[in-house]
Amino acid sequence: MAFLDNAVADDIIKTLYPDYQAPEELRRINPFYSTIQKMTVFGGKSLEVPLIIGSPQGGGSTFAEALAANNTSGAYSNMFASFTLTRKKDYVLATIDGEAIETTDEDDYAMVQVFQKTLDLAFHTALRRIARHMFRDGTAWIGKVGSIAGAVITLSNASDAFNFDPGMRVSLYRTAAILMDTVRDATEATPLTVTAVNYEDGTITVSAAGTIAADDYITAANDRTVATTAAQIFTNSRVITGVKQWIAGNQAGAFAAGVPGAQLQQSIYGVDRSTNTAALAGTAQNCNGMGPDEAIIKLASKVNALGGRPDMCWLNPADFSALVQFLGSRVIYDRVQSVESAEFGFQAIVLMGDTGAIKCVSDINVPKSEIFLLQMDTWDLCSAKGAPRVLRRDGNEVLRVANDDAYQYRVGGYLNMRCRAPNWNGRGYNYLAPTVN
């Protein structure tokens, strides 16, 4: 008889999830998450991310000039910078009905199946909550209203529909003076529920239309609070900082509503990036008018000029498909290996850049019409002991729900993304079509 206690629960979880982290089959459907390096010792209050962004300027054609330059107060001031990275919290609760537990006491296999089904779904949600922000700007929005008819919202970017699922709770924000400075219809306190999603048409249906209007930003419920200053567009967010914010390029600091890249900040984690935008915020390229391969190769050349050796380019599936069709018989395929397992990888298209091969990979989490050209060894997903994982610090694998006949597990993590060399990475916008900002 398999009576449920913490010892039994621990045995089941250790069997199903040996490292207490997301199972491999869930990692397979999130390529960038599976490919990025993991740093799992993010301890203390924060993590310093030091950068070398310049060299001493104490030089001259005469010793006197070199000495004078060396003694100049600013000679060394722009050589170094350090981001003070902080963690973001994320949680998913998995609940198992008490009756389901009781009716599997006599069947060990059935009990394991109940656990696996429930925890796999929790891990799926937790992993998607992380992965969908990995290419975004860290301000928490995951969709923008293009138009609304009844309670059906047509998203400005149809591919953003993949950020939503039926049953998901959402908050909406509109822009008065600065971006996301006003909550729409009190949806922070009373979130709306997504009742249907049409991935093909790029629409979501919500529980009430209220006064929702075009250009409203949509977030998962309470993933942020309203911004009352320009800086709070970023600092009032509760989600991880994705690639787009790290590689803001020359769009960093554009706060005005309607300006492309308006969510991208001049200062993040204690560093004012305006002093040396290329070194501190990478390269952003307008791809308007460029061919599918031309845009990637030109961006690679710009990144190479700053010392980078980008080895992977990440695209939305629709843009990846367009690249395949454009290349036709010239296409060259390869594989990208997961950093977590030698047993699976991802299909890639190979283009040749200034410093070598660039593997182009499709990921549903990349917003359509944007590309991300990255030197992968400069990126880490930093967390305290891994994310997502089963949270079990006190040793209790299973908790009784106080007000229900049910038992609960907690999945989540304490994490953020880190870029150790923004200048060795690039981002393209308006790739084959206008980018939604």
Side-chain angles (χ1 to χ4, degrees):
M1 177 177 179
F3 180 73
L4 180 66
D5 58 19
N6 278 310
V8 171
D10 188 47
D11 287 342
I12 293 173
I13 292 176
K14 282 181 179 177
T15 300
L16 296 175
Y17 314 98
D19 56 1
Y20 292 96
Q21 297 187 36
E24 183 177 292
E25 56 268 26
L26 297 181
R27 303 178 195 188
R28 289 175 184 266
I29 60 176
N30 294 283
F32 186 65
Y33 175 89
S34 298
T35 308
I36 192 173
Q37 301 172 113
K38 309 297 191 302
M39 192 280 273
T40 59
V41 288
F42 190 170
K45 184 178 180 180
S46 60
L47 175 68
E48 292 298 318
V49 185
L51 307 177
I52 299 175
I53 60 173
S55 59
Q57 297 303 303
S61 57
T62 67
F63 183 81
E65 174 55 32
L67 181 61
N70 185 67
N71 291 336
T72 300
S73 59
Y76 292 88
S77 62
N78 295 319
M79 287 177 53
F80 306 100
S82 184
F83 295 102
T84 303
L85 190 68
T86 53
R87 288 180 295 272
K88 306 290 185 175
K89 301 176 182 179
D90 205 76
Y91 306 98
V92 173
L93 305 184
T95 303
I96 302 177
D97 181 70
E99 182 179 2
I101 294 293
E102 292 292 341
T103 55
T104 57
D105 270 356
E106 302 295 336
D107 187 337
D108 291 355
Y109 177 76
M111 180 176 282
V112 170
Q113 290 295 97
V114 168
F115 270 75
Q116 184 167 18
K117 179 179 179 181
T118 304
L119 277 171
D120 275 2
L121 291 173
F123 268 118
H124 174 76
T125 300
L127 191 50
R128 290 294 302 127
R129 282 186 56 82
I130 295 170
R132 71 186 178 211
H133 287 291
M134 295 185 83
F135 286 105
R136 303 188 81 91
D137 57 32
T139 62
W141 73 280
I142 53 175
K144 188 178 182 182
V145 178
S147 62
I148 183 166
V152 179
I153 295 172
T154 298
L155 299 168
S156 294
N157 188 336
S159 70
D160 283 344
F162 288 94
N163 294 326
F164 300 89
D165 287 291
M168 181 177 177
R169 288 163 29 108
V170 296
S171 301
L172 289 92
Y173 299 85
R174 64 183 181 86
T175 296
I178 57 175
L179 283 165
M180 293 182 278
D181 62 359
T182 308
V183 179
R184 176 70 72 179
D185 297 336
T187 53
E188 275 188 358
T190 309
L192 300 180
T193 301
V194 175
T195 60
V197 181
N198 187 317
Y199 300 111
E200 184 69 23
D201 294 339
T203 65
I204 62 172
T205 304
V206 293
S207 52
T211 62
I212 295 172
D215 295 330
D216 282 359
Y217 290 91
I218 311 170
T219 75
N222 292 298
D223 269 1
R224 66 164 298 113
T225 57
V226 294
T228 58
T229 67
Q232 288 179 357
I233 297 171
F234 177 69
T235 59
N236 283 15
S237 171
R238 298 182 176 118
V239 305
I240 64 172
T241 302
V243 177
K244 186 172 182 176
Q245 187 67 254
W246 283 107
I247 312 302
N250 56 11
Q251 293 181 324
F255 295 122
V259 175
Q263 303 87 354
L264 304 177
Q265 301 288 292
Q266 177 175 308
S267 298
I268 64 170
Y269 299 116
V271 175
D272 181 351
R273 300 189 288 180
S274 66
T275 58
N276 191 337
T277 302
L280 296 169
T283 299
Q285 170 183 277
N286 187 346
C287 301
N288 185 39
M290 299 182 187
D293 58 343
E294 176 190 7
I296 296 170
I297 293 170
K298 282 187 174 180
L299 180 56
S301 184
K302 294 176 182 178
V303 174
N304 295 155
L306 294 171
R309 301 178 66 88
D311 50 359
M312 293 187 68
C313 183
W314 296 89
L315 304 91
N316 179 271
D319 294 328
F320 182 86
S321 176
L323 178 61
V324 171
Q325 294 177 58
F326 176 81
L327 292 174
S329 61
R330 296 179 293 135
V331 69
I332 301 173
Y333 291 104
D334 200 351
R335 296 281 287 175
V336 172
Q337 196 66 43
S338 166
V339 299
E340 300 172 328
S341 172
E343 297 181 2
F344 70 94
F346 306 96
Q347 187 74 279
I349 294 172
V350 180
L351 297 178
M352 191 57 61
D354 292 12
T355 58
I358 299 168
K359 295 183 179 181
C360 304
V361 183
S362 168
D363 191 314
I364 194 61
N365 300 299
V366 177
K368 190 176 182 303
S369 304
E370 298 188 57
I371 57 174
F372 297 91
L373 186 66
L374 308 181
Q375 182 171 318
M376 290 300 293
D377 63 6
T378 66
W379 294 90
D380 305 277
L381 182 64
C382 303
S383 65
K385 300 185 178 180
R389 63 184 178 87
V390 177
L391 301 176
R392 53 185 297 277
R393 179 64 180 175
D394 60 359
N396 289 320
E397 306 291 350
V398 59
L399 303 172
R400 184 189 297 274
V401 178
N403 61 349
D404 195 9
D405 176 22
Y407 299 85
Q408 187 180 91
Y409 292 84
R410 296 173 182 177
V411 174
Y414 316 103
L415 69 157
N416 212 334
M417 275 180 62
R418 161 177 83 174
C419 180
R420 288 176 281 111
N423 53 324
W424 293 352
N425 296 270
R427 173 178 64 87
Y429 58 97
N430 296 331
Y431 180 76
L432 307 183
T435 293
V436 174
N437 287 284

